[in-house]
Amino acid sequence: MEDVDVVIIGAGSAGLSAAKVLRNAGLNFRLLEAMDRIGGRAWTSDAHFGVPFDIGCAWLHAADRNPYFPEAQVSGWTLHHHDMNIDHLYYRGRKASEAEEAQVKAADAAIAALMESHSGDDDRLGALLAKGRSSRAAATFSGPMDFGSDEDEISIADFKAAADLDPNYFTWEGYGALVARFGADVPVELSTPVKRIHWDGPGVACETERGTLQARAAIVTASPAVLAFEEIAFSPALPDAHMTAFFDLPMGMLTKLPLEIRGTRLGLKPFDDLLVERVARHDIYFLCFPFDLDLMVGFIGGDFAWEMSAAGEAAGIDFAVDRLCELFGNDSRRHVGRAMMTDWGAERYVRGAYAAARPGRAEARSILAQPVADRIYFAGEHLAGPLIQTCGGARLSGEQVARQVVGQLQR
Ligand SMILES: Cc1cc2nc3c(=O)[nH]c(=O)nc-3n(C[C@H](O)[C@H](O)[C@H](O)COP(=O)(O)OP(=O)(O)OC[C@H]3O[C@@H](n4cnc5c(N)ncnc54)[C@H](O)[C@@H]3O)c2cc1C
């Protein structure tokens, strides 16, 4: 492999945007991707339901700051404004009363105020939340469903630093398809996992099965879990602070359980949000019939989602279908068609949904924002400032780090 100015590892949202900045600055680069496609966690596929379905990211969060949003608008993408509200709340099989729904909304505001007023040491988010049933329903969205982690595994400081992601938009064509289109003109070496990065010489040498690539600097966009598992090894080892930071940013989990529902809408409207709270914390959220498609998309998050990965797809689908039967009667089972379960935990080159700092360890993100020896830079959703965990944030992180690299190399 010929030598270049910069090697970028990973052709997800962050890697693709970094490549474009380097190209515009006139630097030459190689973008190496382990998978056989670009997009990483942004991936739209019609293989399951015959219509575009986002296996990974789906909502264009923070549309007013998300560079993908104006591009989708200009391209005539079909967009639907969808800020999440709980339209239907169930406690196990029982529909919550109006008073209970009002309590949840009040709890939502109370949690926001608690967060705002919190000062002092970092702690578990769970320690901040009252244990009442209504506040737990409100916290389900912010914890397992949004952060991909249970409240006891979330750092208050990390949670507070994340922006409110409204306004949110959903797209019929698929967020993954939007990212794939964004990256279509970027040259990428697919199916080329980087095994090791040597940085004992003047620049970096990236070992792959197809050869070793020499560059002046590397931008590494793999998730912190991929790095903690040493899918990419470093010679010499990275400083302890960086290795500890990978460990302190474990991946949360969000799992989708889309069910095709034929011949009925179960009294629900397109884009309704339905939440089922269960005593054992096995909560499930359904996005109902987006774009009036025959789909109810179940979501489970946090520890429960990791447990479901171990239980397997059949158990996941059974769980989602059983919940529908609990709410709408056993007859609803006969309306269920195709179904699947996403499993990002099993994806070797991602290993989870997105990163969330351990309680007390929120500074892990700023540690990873520091380059190593002015030649190894990290970028991705985990380093996206207030837009952490989002695809738009990953893109902004890739751009920002690439500008830093340009500044360093053109010095
Ligand atoms: C189920 C789910 C739902 C989500 N929902 C939303 C949503 O609605 N809205 C939203 O904004 N975000 C959402 N996200 C998060 C969003 O998808 C991610 O934040 C974003 O796509 C991450 O981009 P990235 O470039 O940082 O990382 P990635 O997309 O993971 O890209 C990193 C790339 O590095 C590659 N790589 C790893 N190791 C190596 C190696 N050794 N050699 C070469 N390449 C390697 C990987 O294959 C991958 O392609 C969701 C994520 C999941 C999993």
Side-chain angles (χ1 to χ4, degrees):
M1 285 185 168
E2 96 246 23
D3 299 350
V4 289
D5 290 319
V6 185
V7 61
I8 305 169
I9 298 162
S13 186
L16 293 168
S17 68
K20 291 195 172 199
V21 170
L22 298 181
R23 184 169 63 190
N24 290 343
L27 293 184
N28 59 13
F29 65 88
R30 290 286 276 276
L31 174 42
L32 309 180
E33 167 55 52
M35 298 190 204
D36 60 2
R37 58 171 180 81
I38 63 168
R41 280 168 270 175
W43 181 23
T44 306
S45 168
D46 59 9
H48 302 278
F49 302 105
V51 289
F53 178 75
D54 276 312
I55 311 285
C57 56
W59 279 271
L60 281 84
H61 293 308
D64 50 348
R65 290 150 287 164
N66 182 340
Y68 288 113
F69 182 68
E71 289 172 5
Q73 280 181 311
V74 166
S75 315
W77 230 247
T78 316
L79 293 160
H80 176 86
H81 178 225
H82 179 248
D83 287 342
M84 276 153 275
N85 286 302
I86 305 178
D87 300 303
H88 309 276
L89 174 64
Y90 289 83
Y91 289 114
R92 299 184 97 174
R94 178 180 72 78
K95 185 148 180 40
S97 66
E98 278 182 23
E100 285 170 322
E101 287 186 356
Q103 276 168 12
V104 173
K105 293 209 168 83
D108 207 15
I111 291 172
L114 267 175
M115 296 292 312
E116 209 44 55
S117 62
H118 177 79
S119 58
D121 288 347
D122 190 16
D123 198 351
R124 299 167 297 119
L125 180 63
L128 200 68
L129 306 177
K131 297 287 183 239
R133 196 166 67 168
S134 55
S135 57
R136 189 161 91 65
T140 299
F141 267 122
S142 27
M145 301 298 173
D146 262 359
F147 243 60
S149 301
D150 290 9
E151 296 91 74
D152 283 347
E153 292 151 14
I154 296 174
S155 138
I156 294 175
D158 201 46
F159 189 83
K160 261 181 94 168
D164 180 344
L165 296 180
D166 290 353
N168 298 287
Y169 281 79
F170 211 82
T171 152
W172 188 90
E173 290 84 353
Y175 203 165
L178 191 59
V179 174
R181 216 179 57 149
F182 168 70
D185 65 345
V186 177
V188 181
E189 311 287 332
L190 296 175
S191 307
T192 309
V194 172
K195 302 282 181 201
R196 182 174 290 274
I197 300 178
H198 301 266
W199 56 286
D200 42 1
V204 292
C206 297
E207 247 181 70
T208 77
E209 277 163 12
R210 300 166 69 181
T212 296
L213 179 65
Q214 196 76 38
R216 296 166 68 198
I219 300 178
V220 181
T221 71
S223 74
V226 166
L227 294 162
F229 272 89
E230 297 189 81
E231 279 294 346
I232 304 173
F234 290 85
S235 295
L238 288 179
D240 286 354
H242 278 71
M243 288 309 292
T244 307
F246 299 145
F247 173 78
D248 284 335
L249 283 174
M251 299 294 272
M253 186 61 153
L254 186 68
T255 294
K256 300 189 189 184
L257 288 157
L259 307 177
E260 187 180 32
I261 306 290
R262 294 185 298 224
T264 179
R265 287 292 182 257
L266 301 167
L268 303 163
K269 294 192 299 302
F271 286 105
D272 274 359
D273 298 310
L274 186 158
L275 179 66
V276 186
E277 283 283 312
R278 309 185 77 240
V279 178
R281 316 212 49 141
H282 289 179
D283 311 323
I284 184 165
Y285 155 74
F286 284 99
L287 173 68
C288 305
F289 306 109
F291 297 107
D292 210 14
L293 293 168
D294 290 347
L295 275 181
M296 286 188 73
V297 186
F299 290 77
I300 58 175
D303 289 350
F304 179 44
W306 282 112
E307 285 163 24
M308 199 62 94
S309 293
E313 183 175 50
I317 293 169
D318 279 351
F319 175 81
V321 174
D322 286 349
R323 298 295 73 74
L324 285 190
C325 292
E326 222 166 60
L327 308 188
F328 301 105
N330 258 331
D331 189 46
S332 36
R333 196 178 299 272
R334 71 182 173 85
H335 293 283
V336 178
R338 291 169 287 185
M340 57 93 69
M341 179 172 95
T342 64
D343 189 0
W344 287 94
E347 172 48 66
R348 176 173 177 183
Y349 295 109
V350 178
R351 294 178 184 262
Y354 29 73
R358 294 183 195 280
R361 305 296 305 154
E363 80 274 12
R365 297 192 196 266
S366 47
I367 293 169
L368 292 187
Q370 302 302 317
V372 175
D374 287 332
R375 67 192 102 137
I376 302 172
Y377 294 76
F378 299 94
E381 59 82 9
H382 54 296
L383 297 173
L387 295 182
I388 48 167
Q389 306 187 329
T390 72
C391 184
R395 172 164 160 181
L396 294 172
S397 161
E399 288 170 359
Q400 186 252 317
V401 168
R403 282 194 295 271
Q404 217 182 323
V405 172
V406 171
Q408 174 68 26
L409 297 190
Q410 290 182 343
R411 231 179 238 175

